[in-house]
């Protein structure tokens, strides 16, 4: 069964790269948005298998979005990976506290993200 | 008996609580440890990514330098031919020309000269960036050098009704410099000062300390906006406060001047107050004297 993946990312270039690499690896990104509130609403409503969050979003941080999804789903909900492309914003301790399942850096070849996605789905 | 049982119950409850707290602390510690490992990993990856991007940018920059170099060389040759042809016509070598023709050809010549200056500047910039700009340093009397530059600018200053003042620390001062490059720095600084000063004076001063020779070009022009001060030595920077003279610069002069001063081991900076004026200062190592002393010592010992 195909896994449903959502992406909340405001940088169009980063979004295109992530979608391309994920689809090449056999995953389907069924929904993406740059809007944090919309991301939370859709994730809570549709409960995808995985939500990939950018750290720096307009109006909210990926940490906040992660926490709101967890709260909205009553503590459980989809698997969540938080990503960052900024050295200044790296904080995996905070990501875990807010309920993220994994955390990785954004790169031009998406290697860390693909590894994290594979790990999450193999863990079940 | 009851007291004993109560005591055991209490002990058990306390043990359970302590165990719960211990588990909670262990979970928190594990989460913290996981977070730190992931943070470390992400930072390493991001630094590698930055390094990769930096190398890509350096390659692009090199390509750009090569392109400018080639393009400039290709432009320079036809420009020289055009300039020479126009000059010959203006000089009347190929027959008489009307005043109207002379007027238009003079405009052509001015613009060809400007284009040539831009091409020369671009070539110099690409040489500087490629590390191929070599200085031919020799002991030079900097006072005499400045005086020559002033002679060149005197008619222009007179025409603009500006006074050219000098303030020299001595009659002659030997410094180990590349003469042509240093003339260029003074041309740029004095040329700019003339361009942006409507009234008052331009003062060129040369002073000396044991370690440095300090040269300044002071003007009573419009001054430079504070925001522009940080960028004046950047490439293709044109002052936003338009000058008095119509002659347009290339926006590369101060960048080249900065590179020349730094290649000499000196430093250049600017101070400016709006509506009062600007002061461009650069330093050069006062090393010629040291060289002379060393020579003298060697002569004595041999």
């Amino acid at each position: 069964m195909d896994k449903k993946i959502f992406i909340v990312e405001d940088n169009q270039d980063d979004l295109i790269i992530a979608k391309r690499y994920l689809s090449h690896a056999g995953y389907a990104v069924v929904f993406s948005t740059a809007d944090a509130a919309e991301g939370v609403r859709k994730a809570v409503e549709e409960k995808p298998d995985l939500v990939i969050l950018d750290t720096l979003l307009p109006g909210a941080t990926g940490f906040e979005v992660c926490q709101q999804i967890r709260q909205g789903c009553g503590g459980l909900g989809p698997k969540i990976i938080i990503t960052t492309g900024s050295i200044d914003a790296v904080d995996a301790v905070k990501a875990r506290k807010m309920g993220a399942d994994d955390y990785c850096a954004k790169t031009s070849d998406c290697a860390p993200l693909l590894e994290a996605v594979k790990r999450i789905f193999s863990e079940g | 008996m009851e007291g004993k049982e109560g005591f055991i119950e209490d002990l058990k409850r306390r043990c359970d609580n302590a165990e719960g707290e211990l588990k909670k602390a262990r979970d928190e510690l594990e989460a913290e440890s996981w977070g730190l490992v992931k943070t470390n990993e992400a930072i390493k990856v991001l630094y590698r990514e930055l390094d990769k991007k930096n190398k890509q940018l350096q390659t692009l920059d090199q390509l750009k330098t090569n392109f400018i170099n080639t393009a400039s060389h290709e432009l320079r040759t036809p420009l020289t031919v055009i300039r020479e042809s126009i000059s010959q016509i203006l000089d009347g070598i190929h027959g008489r020309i009307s005043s109207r023709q002379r007027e238009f050809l003079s405009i052509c010549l001015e613009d060809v000269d400007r284009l040539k200056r831009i091409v020369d500047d671009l070539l110099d910039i690409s040489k500087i960036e490629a590390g191929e700009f070599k200085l031919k340093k020799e002991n030079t009397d900097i006072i005499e050098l400045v005086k020559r530059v002033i002679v060149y600018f005197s008619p222009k200053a007179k025409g603009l009704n500006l006074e050219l003042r000098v303030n020299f620390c001595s009659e002659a001062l030997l410094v180990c410099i590349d003469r042509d490059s240093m003339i260029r720095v003074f041309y740029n600084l004095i040329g700019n000062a003339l361009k942006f000063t409507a009234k008052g004076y331009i003062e060129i001063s040369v002073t000396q300390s044991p370690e440095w020779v300090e040269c300044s070009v002071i003007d009573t022009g419009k001054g430079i906006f504070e925001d522009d001060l940080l960028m004046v030595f950047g490439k293709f920077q044109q002052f936003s406060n338009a000058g008095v003279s119509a002659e347009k610069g290339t926006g590369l002069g101060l960048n080249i001047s900065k590179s020349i001063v730094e290649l000499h081991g000196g430093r250049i900076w600017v101070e400016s107050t709006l509506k009062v004026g600007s002061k461009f200062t650069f330093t050069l190592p006062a090393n010629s004297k040291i060289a002379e002393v060393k020579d003298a010592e060697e002569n004595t010992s041999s």
Side-chain angles (χ1 to χ4, degrees), chain A residues 90 92 96 102-103 107-108 119, chain B residues 34-35 38-39 45 49 52:
Chain A
V90 174
R96 177 46 63 97
D102 212 336
Y103 184 88
T107 62
S108 51
R119 200 164 40 234
Chain B
W34 178 92
K38 288 278 173 184
T39 299
V45 170
E49 193 75 357
K52 208 163 85 183

Side-chain angles (χ1 to χ4, degrees), chain A residues 39-120:
Chain A
V40 173
R41 190 174 50 76
K42 285 283 266 188
V44 172
E45 272 172 21
E46 299 187 19
K47 294 194 179 53
D49 298 292
L50 170 68
V51 181
I52 297 166
L53 299 171
D54 180 26
T55 303
L56 301 171
L57 293 161
T61 66
F63 304 122
E64 288 161 351
V65 174
C66 178
Q67 192 183 32
Q68 285 165 21
I69 294 174
R70 285 283 174 256
Q71 282 167 354
C73 295
L76 287 166
K79 296 278 185 187
I80 298 176
I81 298 174
I82 297 183
T83 64
T84 183
S86 162
I87 287 175
D88 297 336
V90 174
D91 193 347
V93 178
K94 193 171 181 183
R96 177 46 63 97
K97 273 184 192 153
M98 297 299 159
D101 296 280
D102 212 336
Y103 184 88
C104 66
K106 276 199 271 185
T107 62
S108 51
D109 62 0
C110 279
L113 178 64
L114 287 175
E115 270 175 40
V117 173
K118 266 184 212 162
R119 200 164 40 234
I120 273 190

